[in-house]
Amino acid sequence: MGIIWTIVLGFVIGVIAKLLHPGKENMGFIATVLLGIAGSFLAGLIGQFLGWYTAGEGAGMIASVIVAVILLVIYGRLRAR
């Protein structure tokens, strides 16, 4: 059941990030899910490094969306080249 929740939350975070980021990314369902999961994972790592989260504690929704938007910006710049 944990994998299903990861996919659902990854999709929600990815969709919110795509709505907040201007432009068209042409990303499918799987890429959107991976974007959300990566945003959440990196937000957790950054939060642990800064002392906001403890080991094993998941990142918050807002932090996950912010990191996912940053990943979208990086993706857009790499794709433009």
Side-chain angles (χ1 to χ4, degrees):
M1 200 64 184
I3 292 174
I4 294 173
W5 277 115
T6 301
I7 292 170
V8 169
L9 288 176
F11 179 70
V12 170
I13 292 167
V15 167
I16 293 171
K18 285 174 63 175
L19 289 174
L20 292 176
H21 182 262
K24 189 173 182 183
E25 290 83 22
N26 290 333
M27 298 174 81
F29 174 77
I30 294 174
T32 302
V33 169
L34 292 176
L35 169 72
I37 292 171
S40 183
F41 178 74
L42 288 175
L45 287 179
I46 293 168
Q48 286 179 14
F49 179 74
L50 296 175
W52 297 341
Y53 306 119
T54 60
E57 184 179 3
M61 185 75 129
I62 295 172
S64 298
V65 170
I66 290 171
V67 173
V69 169
I70 292 170
L71 289 175
L72 271 177
V73 169
I74 293 170
Y75 173 76
R77 292 203 177 164
L78 290 176
R79 191 165 182 215
R81 291 184 182 184

